[in-house]
Amino acid sequence: MKVKADILAQEQELLAVFAEVRRDNQTLRVEGLGHRLQRPAGEPATRSYSLTGWNDIVAYHPADLVVTVEAGMSVKALNRILAEHGQWIPLTVADGQDDTVGGAVSAGLDGIWRGGYGSFRDRVLGLRVLTPGFGAIQVGAAVVKNVAGYNLSRLFFGSRGTLGIITQVTLKVSPLPQSRRYWAWEGSLSEMSAKANDLMGWATPWAGIAFIADPSQKGTRLWAAWHGVAETVDYLAATKEPGSPDLPLMTRPWKPGAVTLKGAVPRKTVQDVIGVWENGLLAVEWQSGGFLGTLSEEDAPRMENWIRERSGGVAVLSGLHEDLPVPPALMPIWKRLKDAYDPQAILG
Amino acid sequence: MNEAGVEELKQAVGPDFVLTDSMDLLPYSCDAYTLAQEAPAAVVLPGNTAEVQDVVRVLRSHHVPFLARGAGTSLSGGATPLNGTVIIHLSRMNRIIDIDTENQVVVVEPGVVNADITRALAPLGFFYAPDPSSQQACTIGGNFAENSGGPHCLKYGVTVNHIVMAETVTSEGERVVLGNLAGEPDAIDWLGLAVGSEGTLVIATKLWLRITHKPSESQTVLALFDDVNEASQAVSAVVAAGIIPAALEMMDRLAIYAVEKGPYRVGYPENLAAVLLIEVDGESREVHTMATRVQVILQKHLVREVRLAATPEEKNLWWANRKTAFGAMGLISPQYYVQDGVIPRSRLPEALERINEIGRRRDVRIANVFHAGDGNLHPLLLYDEHDKEMVRRVVDAGSEILAVCVELGGSITGEHGVGIEKREDMRRQFTESELAAQRALKHAFDPIDILNPGKLLPTASTCHDENAVIGTYPGRESTGE
């Protein structure tokens, strides 16, 4: 566990980098494990700073179900520590990649457990952020319930480091399930949709119910997971079909060079989005509408529009640069925020 | 508000929906936080979003501050008008517009009462999860503003976790939709920023709420303790065992005494030190297993008795008894002042001891009724408003309790908000740099500070803050090891 003096020294180092970047008329890009980078063409002079060395536990009291970690610790590394106490952060991204905790927050990631455990965004209780405008600030608190002041965690989650550099994250953790089992089926989209509805009719929430569409394979794959007490899992195993031993998610890696989109669609359009997603891998969680998928650079913008027209949320996760998507009506507010938090525009 | 402005307001909403008579304005002088009172300049009751926009534009053109109000159940003064503020009362906008079970949302206007939503959903097998104790009266627009919680938020989350989209009106009178039906922001979570902003950033005029499948089964366990410390430790033990109950509530001796004088008397034995009320819900096998495990854990502590609700009527009585606890204070004291601090739940025994010590030292009777599972304390400080010296002691004791919460690694408010009441206590939790960052958000949404001014944030300090650059260490010492 890192001590206060070391943390403050690290922060001073990064604040000094802010000053150097400002002096040299550069911009600063903070990097985690590098899976989710967007590299704009003709990028201006940019200085990189890796946060992967900031990877210690800051505070962890298992009885409180709350942990504070440095932003550079990976989710898998964190979960190894939490598992020693029978706990975990239910964040598994559908492409199987590991991410730093800070990167996951900054990119607004979510994963296959969203339907059963809620969104990753809702787990973020607090952040420590280095901002060019205000220096180091703590937002939120290390307790599961808190409405003191504005919920600035929501400002930084998904903002891709454009307002400040997240250096610590406080998360609500969950108990590891006593027992778990996975199932997988293959068939037509309508057959699998009927199957998913059948699962929902039996009980809710499932830990995850995901559709996997892969253009190289015929049909659609349906995957389901139940987390709970042994009695339920045994009952399901006896009545539903034998389970699968592992997470049967992505059967092949993402195609290099493809654009990755992430987001969610309204539940009513889950089946539709699978139907219109052409020539790319797609994983959609049935209960929440959360998705992750790849497309070509030509198809990605079309799909983004399709999703927004149906009141879904979508953002480019990797492979293609786009400015932070801000609704036009909120652009004046965004500009005032950017001016206050990053007055010299040294961040992204 | 001058006469010309009043006339413009009447043109915007109709003459019957603008109140200016002093007797009409009196009930709007405060919300459920009664220690500060001030009559509004006027009250306007728009009937739809377009009228809210018109009203905002009129008030803005006259440089008159305004705030939106629902049922006025806020416990921190969020809806109390200050310095000639006009109240935009949203009670006429009270329709449940649509229930969309396929997308699992219900569309409502802000004046709909919280409990009416779950009543409307019940025949369809759904419910709306956040259930503040005032749910029979409080409106969903107020819940949006305050990010309200309630007993069942331990498992299901608070209001911000259950609003996916909102139609809002900005301080400039523009209609802006935040969020989407999927509940997934493209990038920045503008909706999440607005929820809990205490009506200082936008006014919500229509809300899309996430609805939840009603669990197939629930069971409630009641545990009676002779020692409040044992009850506190049992709370931590339940959660540490990996059980997340739907609700985990606690009442102490004085609170039990009060609720047993009320209309929902359980018949608790004499001289109890604490009662725990624990509800588990979900799939039936899960519920039976968890309820059994909870009872086993409780028996490992010095508990006088553990009961499992035998009938729905018994369960409902236990909950009615608990949910009317605040009101029951009126049966044992002329007035009460409720606090709302949060602590890490593992610090519960220490926090309760410190609160008792503050009560003894300041000669204030304090009852404790709280959401033990998430460490959200509600000390109820009893007083008589005619005794001004007692009022001062009560206010000081409340502030000291909040200081203890922050010292233990917690927060000054878990669900009641900052409002007027805790503006200065914000300095206990945040540095000047952190407060400046929060002010920047307010300024971005409302550059001329016309929407519910004087709430949530303390006045800006001109003092030098040595933490202005490096801030303070997270976890505030007490959570670090």
Side-chain angles (χ1 to χ4, degrees):
Chain A
M1 203 168 286
K2 193 162 281 184
V3 298
K4 176 180 174 179
D6 288 344
I7 290 171
L8 294 179
Q10 277 181 325
E11 289 183 351
Q12 291 293 2
E13 179 189 307
L14 188 47
L15 287 169
V17 172
F18 280 0
E20 291 167 18
V21 167
R22 201 178 292 126
R23 181 198 64 205
D24 299 339
N25 211 18
Q26 293 181 313
T27 58
L28 178 66
R29 184 216 308 279
V30 169
E31 295 182 351
L33 295 176
H35 305 312
R36 316 294 183 192
L37 289 179
Q38 299 175 69
R39 293 189 182 279
E43 194 175 26
T46 299
R47 177 162 170 182
S48 294
Y49 187 92
S50 174
L51 272 184
T52 52
W54 300 45
N55 59 4
D56 215 336
I57 296 278
V58 178
Y60 178 36
H61 293 277
D64 294 329
L65 298 179
V66 172
V67 65
T68 299
V69 296
E70 289 189 302
M73 176 176 282
S74 82
V75 175
K76 287 182 179 174
L78 173 60
N79 273 334
R80 281 194 292 273
I81 294 166
L82 298 178
E84 294 171 15
H85 301 275
Q87 298 177 350
W88 70 317
I89 298 293
L91 177 64
T92 304
V93 183
D95 61 4
Q97 296 276 17
D98 196 8
D99 289 276
T100 62
V101 174
V105 172
S106 187
L109 279 184
D110 220 316
I112 58 174
W113 309 117
R114 178 174 172 160
Y117 287 86
S119 71
F120 180 59
R121 182 173 71 248
D122 289 344
R123 290 189 170 270
V124 179
L125 304 174
L127 301 170
R128 187 163 176 83
V129 188
L130 294 192
T131 67
F134 303 104
I137 57 171
Q138 180 75 27
V139 304
V143 284
V144 294
K145 210 169 175 187
N146 168 42
V147 294
Y150 295 117
N151 189 356
L152 291 183
S153 298
R154 302 281 171 155
L155 183 61
F156 292 104
F157 191 94
S159 66
R160 287 189 169 273
T162 52
L163 297 173
I165 307 300
I166 296 167
T167 60
Q168 294 178 8
V169 181
T170 300
L171 296 166
K172 181 165 68 175
V173 306
S174 288
L176 277 165
Q178 181 191 12
S179 192
R180 66 186 88 184
R181 187 169 285 261
Y182 310 117
W183 290 265
W185 300 272
E186 281 185 14
S188 70
L189 181 54
S190 60
E191 287 169 343
M192 293 300 98
S193 298
K195 188 87 179 172
N197 280 330
D198 176 53
L199 295 175
M200 294 280 286
W202 180 79
T204 58
W206 286 70
I209 300 176
F211 285 77
I212 314 293
D214 182 341
S216 70
Q217 296 179 352
K218 279 188 177 175
T220 303
R221 197 154 196 233
L222 175 65
W223 167 89
W226 184 270
H227 291 176
V229 300
E231 288 83 346
T232 314
V233 170
D234 291 346
Y235 169 81
L236 283 168
T239 57
K240 290 277 171 207
E241 289 168 46
S244 167
D246 299 310
L247 283 176
L249 273 179
M250 295 305 158
T251 53
R252 66 189 175 92
W254 293 133
K255 189 177 168 185
V259 174
T260 308
L261 298 181
K262 61 101 189 169
V265 294
R267 290 200 70 250
K268 202 185 283 186
T269 56
V270 168
Q271 210 170 319
D272 298 336
V273 78
I274 298 168
V276 299
W277 196 280
E278 294 175 343
N279 302 317
L281 280 166
L282 175 67
V284 193
E285 208 282 322
W286 180 255
Q287 300 168 103
S288 62
F291 73 85
L292 185 83
T294 59
L295 286 170
S296 67
E297 287 195 8
E298 293 74 35
D299 288 338
R302 178 183 59 80
M303 204 63 230
E304 285 185 78
N305 288 336
W306 187 95
I307 290 165
R308 290 198 180 107
E309 284 168 1
R310 284 155 185 80
S311 199
V314 59
V316 173
L317 190 58
S318 60
L320 179 73
H321 175 74
E322 68 170 14
D323 290 332
L324 199 72
V326 176
L330 296 169
M331 193 53 82
I333 295 172
W334 161 248
K335 285 180 176 167
R336 286 192 283 268
L337 281 168
K338 180 71 176 169
D339 285 347
Y341 280 79
D342 181 22
Q344 284 90 25
I346 63 171
L347 302 174
Chain B
M1 189 77 199
N2 60 31
E3 282 187 20
V6 170
E7 279 309 308
E8 288 177 50
L9 290 173
K10 286 180 177 175
Q11 285 172 18
V13 299
D16 292 342
F17 300 113
V18 179
L19 310 180
T20 54
D21 184 272
S22 59
M23 290 305 289
D24 290 335
L25 300 181
L26 197 59
Y28 294 92
S29 299
C30 66
D31 52 27
Y33 175 72
T34 57
L35 288 171
Q37 302 193 15
E38 189 173 322
V43 175
V44 192
L45 295 98
N48 55 51
T49 301
E51 289 186 1
V52 173
Q53 289 180 266
D54 290 344
V55 168
V56 166
R57 286 173 181 144
V58 168
L59 294 170
R60 190 180 176 89
S61 71
H62 287 269
H63 309 288
V64 174
F66 49 89
L67 65 84
R69 174 181 164 124
T73 56
S74 164
L75 289 158
S76 57
T80 300
L82 299 174
N83 303 321
T85 291
V86 166
I87 286 179
I88 301 173
H89 192 190
L90 299 172
S91 59
R92 289 175 63 210
M93 298 172 67
N94 60 359
R95 293 177 304 149
I96 295 177
I97 297 168
D98 184 31
I99 298 174
D100 177 356
T101 55
E102 208 172 349
N103 280 318
Q104 293 182 7
V105 294
V106 56
V107 188
V108 299
E109 290 183 319
V112 173
V113 171
N114 173 298
D116 287 345
I117 298 169
T118 286
R119 271 194 279 273
L121 295 171
L124 303 170
F126 287 88
F127 73 111
Y128 176 65
D131 60 339
S133 293
S134 58
Q135 71 180 132
Q136 301 296 339
C138 67
T139 62
I140 202 68
N143 293 176
F144 170 93
E146 298 293 328
N147 192 14
S148 304
H152 289 83
C153 290
L154 174 58
K155 175 176 177 179
Y156 291 100
V158 293
T159 299
V160 72
N161 310 128
H162 295 275
I163 297 183
V164 297
M165 188 159 78
E167 176 190 73
T168 66
V169 173
T170 68
S171 67
E172 295 172 331
E174 297 299 317
R175 175 186 171 276
V176 175
V177 174
L178 306 177
N180 51 51
L181 265 183
E184 173 74 4
D186 291 341
I188 287 172
D189 183 8
W190 300 101
L191 175 62
L193 284 168
V195 177
S197 62
E198 304 193 14
T200 64
L201 301 184
V202 292
I203 297 172
T205 53
K206 194 191 291 185
L207 296 154
W208 284 253
L209 312 177
R210 178 176 287 131
I211 60 178
T212 305
H213 283 285
K214 199 174 172 190
S216 56
E217 186 155 345
S218 71
Q219 291 192 346
T220 301
V221 178
L222 185 71
L224 313 180
F225 286 87
D226 293 313
D227 184 327
V228 71
N229 195 43
E230 282 290 324
S232 303
Q233 289 178 5
V235 169
S236 285
V238 168
V239 177
I243 298 167
I244 306 293
L248 204 175
E249 302 286 298
M250 187 164 160
M251 294 187 287
D252 73 358
R253 188 186 305 274
L254 188 54
I256 297 165
Y257 174 73
V259 292
E260 286 294 271
K261 284 182 169 292
Y264 300 103
R265 186 173 178 275
V266 171
Y268 290 125
E270 296 277 315
N271 298 320
L272 279 179
V275 166
L276 284 185
L277 197 55
I278 304 171
E279 184 169 299
V280 291
D281 69 8
E283 191 275 330
S284 59
R285 287 168 198 79
E286 305 274 332
V287 170
H288 289 295
T289 303
M290 285 191 290
T292 303
R293 288 178 62 200
V294 165
Q295 291 173 82
V296 169
I297 292 166
L298 293 170
Q299 294 288 2
K300 288 179 181 172
H301 292 76
L302 290 174
V303 61
R304 187 192 293 190
E305 186 182 347
V306 177
R307 300 179 192 169
L308 184 69
T311 63
E313 291 74 24
E314 187 173 35
K315 178 180 123 175
N316 291 340
L317 175 64
W318 293 353
W319 277 111
N321 176 278
R322 158 62 187 91
K323 285 207 167 190
T324 52
F326 284 15
M329 293 303 138
L331 300 170
I332 62 170
S333 170
Q335 279 83 31
Y336 67 90
Y337 172 43
V338 57
Q339 269 299 358
D340 176 42
V342 188
I343 45 129
R345 70 172 71 80
S346 61
R347 310 296 293 269
L348 201 48
E350 186 180 350
L352 290 177
E353 178 51 41
R354 298 273 298 272
I355 291 169
N356 284 336
E357 187 275 324
I358 290 168
R360 284 194 300 271
R361 177 163 40 81
R362 294 190 179 272
D363 191 21
V364 175
R365 286 198 302 162
I366 302 177
N368 285 290
V369 181
F370 55 97
H371 312 306
D374 45 28
N376 189 185
L377 307 174
H378 289 318
L380 295 143
L381 291 74
L382 310 185
Y383 70 99
D384 180 345
E385 66 181 357
H386 300 297
D387 184 343
K388 299 304 176 193
E389 204 277 328
M390 179 186 274
V391 171
R392 187 188 56 76
R393 290 202 314 273
V394 161
V395 171
D396 289 348
S399 192
E400 190 176 349
I401 288 169
L402 296 184
V404 168
C405 292
V406 174
E407 184 191 328
L408 294 178
S411 167
I412 60 170
T413 174
E415 57 185 7
H416 294 175
V418 175
I420 301 170
E421 178 201 14
K422 304 186 197 77
R423 276 178 307 183
E424 293 307 317
D425 290 304
M426 286 283 282
R427 296 187 199 282
R428 298 186 186 280
Q429 192 166 336
F430 298 104
T431 66
E432 275 304 318
S433 304
E434 291 160 354
L435 292 170
Q438 298 203 32
R439 281 191 198 96
L441 180 72
K442 167 68 174 170
H443 178 77
F445 274 85
D446 179 19
I448 63 170
D449 195 22
I450 198 168
L451 180 48
N452 204 8
K455 310 292 171 62
L456 192 142
L457 291 168
T459 49
S461 168
T462 54
C463 300
H464 170 69
D465 181 355
E466 62 184 13
N467 288 322
V469 176
I470 60 169
T472 56
Y473 181 58
R476 276 22 182 187
E477 313 296 334
S478 53
T479 54
E481 284 187 340

